[in-house]
Amino acid sequence: FRLVRRERDGEEPVSSAPIPTVGGSPLEDVCRNLLAGSPGAAAGAAASGCLILPFSPHPEDPAEPWLMVLQAHAGQPFSGEEVPHLQEVMRSLSVALTLRASSSSLRERMKELTCLYGIALLKEEPAMSVEEILGGIVALLPPAWLHPGDAWAELVLDGRTHRAGREGEPVGEPLSAPVRVRGTVR
């Protein structure tokens, strides 16, 4: 079985199989009570061979815990040796997920800063024409997005268009802003 907590109002939790009963309560109720901070809910689960371990996969939102639910074979309780080992596995999983999220955020920030640095270098190049600088700026934009292979950039200034990135017809919602030069939209 798999429980999924939905964020949007009106959506009910989903399970891929009937929700089992743990310690006299449906597992969904036990998990909901644990997420609400009721530690007594875990006692009934542990007695029935179910181990519920909290962890946080989102370092930016540690207040949003997840629960890993492990069911012992044939409903037998977990041994005293297994529980600390499984808790350590969950701590390791939390650390791995935190590192992955941090690494991803760092990569995205590096792409943004590389783009800004490239624009600054173009602006300072004395031998380049305005058209070459604008074309260079547009070429730097798609690699700075989350999915560079799907991104495209287009700059239209004074009737001239500079475009870079994904080929073909643009898909999705565009982000746009007017180009202002000395307070005048161009």
Side-chain angles (χ1 to χ4, degrees), residues 13-178:
V14 179
S15 67
S16 58
I19 297 172
T21 300
V22 174
S25 299
L27 179 59
E28 183 178 357
D29 292 340
V30 173
C31 290
R32 192 174 285 123
N33 289 338
L34 280 170
L35 287 171
S38 172
S48 67
C50 184
L51 183 61
I52 302 174
L53 302 169
F55 70 102
S56 179
H58 302 291
E60 66 279 355
D61 189 10
E64 185 64 36
W66 287 16
L67 299 173
M68 175 68 76
V69 181
L70 304 172
Q71 184 72 45
H73 181 68
Q76 298 297 316
F78 286 95
S79 74
E81 298 163 359
E82 291 174 311
V83 173
H85 175 70
L86 292 170
Q87 288 173 326
E88 188 58 35
V89 168
M90 289 311 301
R91 277 191 286 277
S92 296
L93 178 61
S94 290
V95 168
L97 291 170
T98 299
L99 288 174
R100 182 173 182 201
S102 297
S103 176
S104 178
S105 295
L106 182 59
R107 274 193 308 274
E108 290 306 309
R109 183 67 57 213
M110 287 299 299
K111 289 187 330 187
E112 293 167 7
L113 292 173
T114 299
C115 176
L116 291 173
Y117 181 67
I119 290 171
L121 289 177
L122 284 171
K123 180 184 167 286
E124 296 301 318
E125 185 62 46
M128 292 183 80
S129 69
V130 171
E131 292 299 312
E132 291 172 319
I133 291 172
L134 294 176
I137 289 171
V138 170
L140 290 168
L141 294 176
W145 286 90
L146 179 61
H147 302 288
D150 294 332
W152 55 273
E154 183 176 85
L155 174 65
V156 179
L157 182 64
D158 297 336
R160 294 195 176 133
T161 300
H162 303 274
R163 185 173 181 163
R166 183 179 177 273
E167 293 296 322
E169 197 59 31
V171 178
E173 291 295 317
L175 297 175
S176 64

